[in-house]
Amino acid sequence: MQTRHDEPSPRQRNRRTPRVERPPHAPARTVVAAVLGAGLLTACGQTSPTTTPPPAEAAPAASSAPAQQEHRLEVEVTGTATLTSLAFTLDAEVSEETAVTLPWRKSVVVPYGAGRHEWTLTLQHTGGDMAATATVNGKLVTRTGGGGSAGSNNTAKLSGSFTD
């Protein structure tokens, strides 16, 4: 019995995996050439190991030291009072001013890693009201206020500390 190439034999029909038959007019070298061509295209589409970019560096491990490398202490005095004198002390270093006009502001940068820092602001004022605030790294740490009648001699003190 003669079978046609496009009809499967009874033996071929019972197989679980289908068999791909090539038409009788396609030579075997065409299939080999197609497989080799596909392999070359695949190989050409990939970068060689020598041109592969290095992997991205891993993010540095979190350390116990804060990312901030300095502290900023800001002290501000506002109001209508007349300041006859002002003394600012930071880590035992004193700076004094007289006949201070309000508003008054002082900003000090303190390097990180120096340990504990203590500061004090002493104000001598007369007549009117005044308010003083202090922030460390933008956070309010303390404030004070006061007032007095004309001719009175008053003292206000603002102090604090911070640690690395």
Side-chain angles (χ1 to χ4, degrees), residues 21-157:
E21 292 187 24
R22 63 184 165 88
H25 62 281
R29 63 187 129 133
T30 305
V31 173
V32 172
V35 170
L36 286 175
L40 287 173
L41 287 174
T42 302
C44 291
Q46 297 175 350
T47 54
S48 68
T50 57
T51 60
T52 302
E57 290 185 25
S63 66
S64 59
Q68 191 172 357
Q69 296 300 311
E70 63 187 23
H71 298 289
R72 182 171 302 274
L73 169 64
E74 293 184 344
V75 183
E76 184 175 23
V77 182
T78 59
T80 59
T82 302
L83 296 182
T84 55
S85 70
L86 176 146
F88 176 75
T89 306
L90 175 62
D91 296 335
E93 291 186 33
V94 180
S95 65
E96 294 183 285
E97 297 179 37
T98 57
V100 177
T101 305
L102 296 181
W104 176 88
R105 182 183 192 118
K106 182 156 190 101
S107 182
V108 181
V109 174
V110 181
Y112 179 81
R116 182 178 171 90
H117 304 281
E118 295 182 1
W119 56 270
T120 304
L121 178 66
T122 305
L123 307 163
Q124 296 292 326
H125 62 94
T126 184
D129 298 323
M130 66 95 204
T133 60
T135 61
V136 175
N137 300 329
K139 296 179 183 173
L140 179 67
V141 292
T142 189
R143 66 179 159 206
T144 190
S149 57
S152 65
N153 219 358
N154 303 293
T155 303
K157 195 171 193 177

Side-chain angles (χ1 to χ4, degrees), residues 2-9 12 19-25:
Q2 213 177 19
T3 61
R4 292 179 51 182
H5 288 283
D6 57 343
E7 292 179 16
S9 69
Q12 290 173 334
R19 181 175 174 195
V20 177
E21 292 187 24
R22 63 184 165 88
H25 62 281

